[in-house]
Amino acid sequence: MANGVGDEQRDEPPGHTAGAIDGDRAAEHPLLRAGADAVGRGELWEALRIFERAAEAEQGDLRLCALVDAAVVTDRLGDHAGAVDRFREALAQMPSEAPRMYPGALIGLSQALQNLGDLDGAQQALEQARVALGKEDAPGDLRLACLVSSTAVALHRQQWWRALDLAGEALNAARRFGPEHAGHPLMNLAAAHFETGRWELALDFAGQALAAFEAVDDSTGVAETRQNLALMYTRTGSFDDAEPLLAAAQEHFEATGAAHRAGIGLKVMGFIAEHRGQPEVANARYREALRRFEESRAVIDAADVRLRLAATAFAAGRFDDGESELATARAIYAVRGLGLHCAQLDYWHAGLLEPLVSQVPGLLARAVDLAVPAALALDAVRYELPDGTQRDTWSRHIVNPALRLAFRYAYLAGDARLVADLIENQCAGAIVDIDRLSAEPPAPLDLFEPFDPPSDSAAAVQDALQLGTALAAVAASAGLPVTPPPRVAVPPDGHIALSAWLDAAEQRYGRRVRTDRVISA
């Protein structure tokens, strides 16, 4: 979200329509099979009608399977709140020992809750699914889906280091349990690497994800990956590369009625129009994207598009409208504990104020108050990243622009002490985290041997798995863990550099930005 476009290029877990029930009866049931076939053709509304008819006609496990399948399709159509209701209705009636249906429904519930922005609820559902999948003979494909969904939660929370670990683990699980689903962890690896500045590696992973989906004729996976690739190209300014991918994906989502994904496409189209000097086109597309997100109750995506609406409002001189959009977006992030989103928004907000600080009395002080804590919080993220290359790219692409803005505002405000403290703050070096270095790595989710061999798959999928796993191993091979730097006592009075600003950053964003250790400058 550093440039205000958003970070939607995460992937969802593979769906399990007509497979939620334990045993083969669901696959053999004519209505459930017909619904699954309709999903495969991209006819989501037809699939929903079939599953709803099956839920009315059947009893027992078959009815519950139809409810879960209807919930999956409802979520894909963008009615995330309706999907949550359907999942919960089914879960309330099914036994927790059901080896497939129960954890599958929990994973689906988690995805719907993520789309609604309820990340705590989504994580809780996944924890329940992990417990249910802890048995030695648990279905491997559901273990993979649980890992993919857990990665998505980490990406939503911008916990890049955790997302990279989970996505790598999911890729290994795909090798063992479901090569035909390899595109999902590959795309999540692409998203995590893109957000930490490894753009070329991210594009490699995304290309492999696209090849994997194409090899198994997964039209939805292909469309989602094209849209994700288009978003990456857009955020790097490669609009000509983005547009054909974006148009192809949008055609699929509009045809299938996938309102949420279509909203994402509209937002990216708006961003391209904005940067091509077409503000009216951009604003119209942003408004339509916002309408679709709000209809789907996809509140985080709605907040993201409000940043773009704020930018167009500021550019048009409608400053009150811009401030209102930013305040609404920030409130959405804050109530969901998305501190890093809030820091990015505050930095973005401070940048929008730059043309005005010399004209509006008192605005410079507000700009300083926004920019400095945000820069400190963004700077602290690099100490959480798993290797030196990622820390370096995060610094160059994210931190350095934020710190330059903070320095500029401190200079314009004539605050010599703040300028000096910012310099001292940057001189405090990183410290190797001995505890993390020496600790045993956490046990992976996937601890058991598969009870079934991996399914047969096309050669292109195997190629994607081999290349993707090799890329993941290379990407994870470098660097030592480090801790945030200490606080710095500055002579001659011994005051702690940026003390009030550090406290403000930790309070506003709920993140530790410095250790308690104090050193002398």
Side-chain angles (χ1 to χ4, degrees):
M1 198 186 70
N3 64 0
V5 190
D7 60 351
E8 296 87 351
Q9 68 274 14
R10 52 189 162 266
D11 209 13
E12 301 177 357
H16 291 277
T17 53
I21 195 169
D22 304 302
D24 297 325
R25 282 188 298 153
E28 295 172 355
H29 189 277
L31 278 178
L32 296 182
R33 185 69 265 160
D37 290 343
V39 170
R41 296 191 302 270
E43 298 172 3
L44 298 184
W45 285 109
E46 175 63 17
L48 181 59
R49 284 190 289 271
I50 293 171
F51 291 136
E52 287 176 337
R53 191 160 72 249
E56 292 174 358
E58 298 299 337
Q59 300 294 323
D61 286 351
L62 286 171
R63 177 178 175 274
L64 293 176
C65 183
L67 278 175
V68 171
D69 288 348
V72 170
V73 176
T74 300
D75 191 45
R76 287 176 63 174
L77 284 166
D79 182 5
H80 308 309
V84 167
D85 290 342
R86 290 177 188 265
F87 280 123
R88 285 180 170 156
E89 179 185 356
L91 283 163
Q93 300 174 48
M94 70 177 62
S96 60
E97 63 270 15
R100 287 198 62 86
M101 188 159 49
Y102 182 71
L106 286 168
I107 294 167
L109 173 62
S110 172
Q111 185 59 48
L113 290 170
Q114 288 175 54
N115 288 328
L116 289 172
D118 183 0
L119 301 184
D120 290 338
Q123 187 62 49
Q124 184 179 12
L126 287 174
E127 291 301 326
Q128 290 178 262
R130 286 175 68 104
V131 172
L133 292 168
K135 300 174 184 177
E136 187 174 345
D137 60 348
D141 60 328
L142 291 182
R143 305 279 297 218
L144 169 59
C146 190
L147 279 167
V148 171
S149 197
S150 296
T151 311
V153 173
L155 289 169
H156 273 296
R157 294 191 187 278
Q158 298 184 308
Q159 296 172 335
W160 312 127
W161 68 100
R162 175 167 170 75
L164 287 164
D165 286 344
L166 286 168
E169 191 178 339
L171 187 61
N172 288 328
R175 176 189 289 275
R176 296 172 62 186
F177 305 131
E180 68 275 14
H181 298 309
H184 299 281
L186 285 165
M187 192 59 238
N188 281 335
L189 280 166
H193 283 295
F194 187 89
E195 295 299 335
T196 52
R198 285 181 159 185
W199 293 344
E200 292 184 2
L201 185 60
L203 291 171
D204 274 343
F205 277 124
Q208 292 303 311
L210 184 59
F213 285 125
E214 288 174 339
V216 294
D217 294 324
D218 184 340
S219 59
T220 298
V222 168
E224 290 177 355
T225 305
R226 283 174 174 164
Q227 187 183 78
N228 293 335
L229 269 167
L231 181 55
M232 292 180 182
Y233 283 128
T234 299
R235 289 178 59 183
T236 57
S238 302
F239 299 147
D240 290 341
D241 292 323
E243 285 181 309
L245 293 166
L246 192 59
Q250 194 71 8
E251 181 179 358
H252 174 88
F253 295 130
E254 296 286 2
T256 60
H260 187 165
R261 275 287 182 173
I264 292 171
L266 286 164
K267 183 180 72 168
V268 181
M269 291 177 182
F271 184 83
I272 293 173
E274 180 186 347
H275 283 261
R276 285 187 165 156
Q278 301 170 321
E280 293 182 1
V281 174
N283 204 59
R285 286 174 174 166
Y286 290 148
R287 288 291 173 194
E288 178 61 17
L290 181 62
R291 183 185 69 80
R292 299 200 189 194
F293 291 146
E294 290 183 336
E295 285 181 353
S296 299
R297 300 192 197 177
V299 293
I300 295 176
D301 292 286
D304 289 347
V305 83
R306 287 185 183 279
L307 300 189
R308 297 309 326 159
L309 286 167
T312 58
F314 269 86
R318 295 182 285 105
F319 306 125
D320 289 344
D321 290 345
E323 293 282 351
S324 176
E325 298 287 7
L326 290 169
T328 301
R330 198 184 193 289
I332 290 169
Y333 297 146
V335 78
R336 287 161 178 79
L338 299 176
L340 186 53
H341 280 71
C342 291
Q344 290 173 309
L345 185 150
D346 286 348
Y347 160 55
W348 180 253
H349 190 177
L352 290 174
L353 296 178
E354 190 166 10
L356 308 173
V357 294
S358 62
Q359 305 170 25
V360 181
L363 195 58
L364 179 56
R366 185 180 179 210
V368 172
D369 183 62
L370 286 168
V372 175
L376 294 174
L378 293 171
D379 183 37
V381 172
R382 63 190 168 113
Y383 301 101
E384 301 169 352
L385 296 174
D387 68 62
T389 300
Q390 287 169 327
R391 289 192 288 273
D392 176 65
T393 51
W394 181 268
S395 293
R396 285 187 287 109
H397 294 298
I398 306 296
V399 178
N400 290 348
L403 284 170
R404 280 196 298 270
L405 188 64
F407 271 109
R408 173 167 169 75
Y409 282 150
Y411 171 78
L412 290 175
D415 192 335
R417 178 163 171 166
L418 176 56
V419 171
D421 282 1
L422 283 167
I423 293 170
E424 293 292 350
N425 172 75
Q426 288 307 104
C427 291
I431 299 171
V432 174
D433 189 340
I434 300 298
D435 291 337
R436 281 171 63 196
L437 190 62
S438 59
E440 288 293 322
L445 177 64
D446 144 16
L447 290 172
F448 58 91
E449 291 301 313
F451 63 95
D452 286 323
S455 58
D456 293 335
S457 189
V461 176
Q462 297 293 354
D463 290 344
L465 272 169
Q466 291 170 10
L467 180 54
T469 304
L471 286 170
V474 170
S477 64
L480 295 172
V482 296
T483 63
R487 296 173 184 257
V488 180
V490 181
D493 61 353
H495 75 274
I496 302 299
L498 301 174
S499 177
W501 299 103
L502 293 168
D503 291 344
E506 292 185 343
Q507 182 178 2
R508 287 180 192 179
Y509 309 124
R511 305 175 66 87
R512 188 177 67 151
V513 298
R514 289 293 180 271
T515 63
D516 294 331
R517 180 184 173 194
V518 177
I519 62 172
S520 298

